[in-house]
Amino acid sequence: MTEPDRAPVGVLALQGDVPEHAAAVAALVGAKRVRSVLEPADLSGLGALLLPGGESTTLSRLLDESGLRDPLIGAGRGGLPLLGTCAGIILLARELEPSPGGKDPLPLGLLSVRVRRNDYGRQAESFEAPIPFPDLPGGPFPGAFIRAPRILSVAPPARVLAELKGHPVAVREGSVWGLTFHPELSGDLRLHRLFLASAGLLP
Amino acid sequence: MGAVPPFSIGTDRLKRGFARMQQGGVIMDVTTPEQATLAEEAGAVAVMALERIPADIRAAGGVARMADPNRVRSIMAAVTVPVMAKCRIGHTAEARILESLGVDMVDESEVLTPADPFFHVAKRDFTVPFVCGARNLGEALRRIEEGAAMIRTKGEPGTGNVVEAVRHLRQMNQEIAALETMTPEELGVYAEKERVPVERVREVQVLKRLPVINFAAGGIATPADASLCRLLGADGIFVGSGIFKSANPRETARAIVEASMHHTDWTRLSRVSSGLGEAMKGLEISTLAPDQLLQVRE
């Protein structure tokens, strides 16, 4: 049996800002414990999995082509701690508000939120703003929102960890966490640390 | 809490971060909403809205300019993935027009006819991020110094011949490797020769790579080409003429997306390479007259 606190931490490596998440995890648990997840076999024995930012339509398509969709849903329901950022929270969501044109990815349904893609606008509207984070020691978190999704509603048992201007930007349901921004671009490891600690992966 | 947090847009973090979200992916040249939809369905991470694809620009001759804004708008309306568009080198007005249309990234591109013989666009002044072509480290660092948030190889666009993209990737890798053993004095000499601040060179020496994402572009026509460029360190792939000049654009597009993602999975690559029909015909670089080479435009 794998010792929980020494288990590898996976980063879904199909597409997106995988190296940035891998670097953040490596800084906390050591590079040897970081594992790229590209196929179902890569999920075995993981202590947690991060779903990076990227293009959610592309990622959704690649989840199907790599055969990862069902194993990932199974792992999430089985309690594997998951952290999704930006496109990652779109993949984790229970429901997506349809985009005009109606071509949306199929989410995994592991986090009880309803999300609308690119709801803050196109790249010109991407923004940085400090996020007040009540549970996080050390003050507001530097938020980078890039063509970010917006969380439209949160249903129990999911709960809001942080809001910005009245909209939830960080949500947690048991061991599944979703953020609409990019802690992996901020150089601030506090959220990665909090997530990995809550998964029992840090001393 | 109370205090409204300060708010910023158009920062380097947001511009470079946008490019980072494209990593591992394939960005496809399209000229119509239908092509854009096909690209999105095939798994493109973004599309490049163009008046003509590079092979047709090459064939048409004359002055190649920014696309008609109506064309860009119709493509933006057709897809939810990011939309990029090209302006001429140094054409600040075209870049501003594209920015006002709301494109997600501007490609200041040698595929179009250069507009300013002296200067590139001052990209730091913009909110929209830019990608620029580069054949070597010095060229990449000059563009980054001007504000480019992403670099791509120039390759030789519209040829379906990957050799120049490979040359530019190898050139970049060799120059970055050579920095490793340089003394501070040698770094200074290198920076002066390349007309960039020495801090930029030092940053690359420490990172052992460019500080921004670097994609391969210019002549990529097959899944195997995409894999080769990724093996040489490209963070992702631009495909211009390679898709819509192939016998089977839909399957070719899908195959190149899979090849970029799983670029060392040879079983998968052999599967996705099978039965695609004829790739674009392609041009031998040595048959091009010097004035037909687009990569020399800087």
Side-chain angles (χ1 to χ4, degrees):
Chain A
M1 194 171 139
T2 320
E3 191 70 23
D5 63 330
R6 300 300 306 160
V9 177
V11 180
L12 185 67
L14 295 171
Q15 190 273 313
D17 70 338
V18 177
E20 291 74 12
H21 270 298
V25 174
L28 293 167
V29 301
K32 283 184 187 156
R33 278 176 68 191
V34 182
R35 183 193 289 172
S36 288
V37 172
L38 281 164
E39 52 183 72
D42 298 329
L43 292 172
S44 84
L46 281 188
L49 175 67
L50 283 70
L51 289 79
E55 276 307 312
S56 54
T57 49
T58 308
L59 284 165
S60 173
R61 179 175 174 76
L62 291 163
L63 278 182
D64 289 326
E65 264 164 8
S66 57
L68 269 167
R69 179 178 297 275
D70 290 336
L72 206 51
I73 293 172
R77 288 192 182 143
L80 176 67
L82 300 171
L83 170 66
T85 66
C86 197
I89 194 177
I90 295 171
L91 294 179
L92 291 175
R94 175 147 306 160
E95 198 187 341
L96 301 185
E97 179 83 1
S99 301
K103 291 167 302 182
D104 285 300
L106 183 63
L108 299 171
L110 294 167
L111 185 60
S112 301
V113 293
R114 195 159 64 91
V115 169
R116 185 154 53 204
R117 298 166 59 218
N118 306 333
D119 198 51
Y120 293 88
R122 305 190 70 99
Q123 172 60 13
E125 282 81 49
S126 293
F127 63 95
E128 291 191 64
I131 304 164
F133 237 106
D135 293 347
L136 199 62
F141 193 86
F145 294 79
I146 298 180
R147 287 171 48 96
R150 197 190 307 261
I151 298 169
L152 301 175
S153 63
V154 180
R159 66 186 178 90
V160 175
L161 298 177
E163 288 186 349
L164 189 67
K165 296 184 177 174
H167 291 282
V169 295
V171 171
R172 177 177 179 184
E173 176 172 345
S175 59
V176 181
W177 300 44
L179 315 173
T180 62
F181 55 96
H182 293 283
E184 73 280 10
L185 295 182
S186 66
D188 186 326
L189 293 173
R190 284 179 294 156
L191 281 173
H192 283 88
R193 186 180 289 122
L194 192 65
F195 168 72
L196 292 174
S198 81
L201 295 164
L202 291 178
Chain B
M1 313 286 331
V4 179
F7 181 95
S8 47
I9 61 168
T11 62
D12 265 358
R13 175 170 289 149
L14 295 169
K15 290 173 172 178
R16 293 179 177 193
F18 167 77
R20 292 183 187 284
M21 299 309 144
Q22 312 282 310
Q23 282 177 96
V26 180
I27 300 169
M28 301 183 192
D29 280 359
V30 300
T31 58
T32 64
E34 294 70 30
Q35 289 183 352
T37 301
L38 184 151
E40 182 177 57
E41 286 170 0
V45 290
V47 296
M48 178 74 68
L50 286 170
E51 196 66 33
R52 293 194 181 96
I53 58 173
D56 292 338
I57 290 174
R58 201 173 266 292
V63 174
R65 309 181 178 92
M66 170 186 84
D68 185 323
N70 277 339
R71 188 182 294 273
V72 178
R73 273 195 210 98
S74 68
I75 288 166
M76 287 168 63
V79 292
T80 60
V81 294
V83 176
M84 307 181 177
K86 289 185 194 289
C87 74
R88 285 180 265 176
I89 288 175
H91 208 311
T92 304
E94 284 188 351
R96 284 291 181 199
I97 291 167
L98 293 172
E99 182 179 53
S100 79
L101 290 172
V103 302
D104 296 290
M105 182 170 248
V106 174
D107 184 357
E108 185 180 22
S109 177
E110 69 284 359
V111 170
L112 306 181
T113 310
D116 187 327
F118 305 110
F119 291 100
H120 280 63
V121 172
K123 294 169 274 289
R124 289 197 187 284
D125 301 345
F126 286 71
T127 302
V128 69
F130 281 76
V131 55
C132 289
R135 288 162 297 174
N136 52 54
L137 180 59
E139 202 172 357
L141 292 178
R142 286 191 291 281
R143 299 295 87 79
I144 292 167
E145 180 63 17
E146 291 157 3
M150 178 176 183
I151 295 294
R152 54 170 177 74
T153 64
K154 287 180 163 176
E156 191 53 41
T159 61
N161 190 338
V162 78
V163 66
E164 295 304 302
V166 168
R167 186 191 310 280
H168 301 161
L169 287 168
R170 285 211 179 272
Q171 178 72 27
M172 190 86 76
N173 290 343
Q174 282 166 13
E175 288 186 72
I176 291 172
L179 293 184
E180 216 163 317
T181 54
M182 281 192 196
T183 62
E185 292 74 20
E186 290 170 328
L187 281 187
V189 171
Y190 179 86
E192 197 169 324
K193 176 170 77 83
E194 296 296 346
R195 294 171 280 135
V196 290
V198 71
E199 302 77 58
R200 290 249 166 257
V201 183
R202 245 186 249 125
E203 185 182 19
V204 174
Q205 188 187 40
V206 171
L207 294 173
K208 298 184 178 33
R209 60 155 295 147
L210 290 181
V212 301
I213 292 310
N214 183 26
F215 269 40
I220 294 151
T222 67
D225 288 350
S227 163
L228 175 63
C229 291
R230 296 274 279 131
L231 286 172
L232 290 169
D235 297 312
I237 305 290
F238 280 93
V239 191
S241 317
I243 289 169
F244 293 102
K245 286 289 175 193
S246 72
N248 192 341
R250 188 176 299 273
E251 290 307 312
T252 301
R254 282 188 183 180
I256 292 177
V257 169
E258 276 209 60
S260 175
M261 221 71 57
H262 301 279
H263 59 275
T264 57
D265 182 341
W266 308 114
T267 312
R268 189 185 290 259
L269 270 154
S270 63
R271 179 165 52 73
V272 303
S273 299
S274 303
L276 291 177
E278 205 162 337
M280 72 178 286
K281 183 158 178 299
L283 288 170
E284 166 54 38
I285 306 295
S286 63
T287 64
L288 298 174
D291 66 347
Q292 290 177 308
L293 288 175
L294 304 181
Q295 60 177 284
V296 298
R297 295 168 165 177
E298 188 188 348

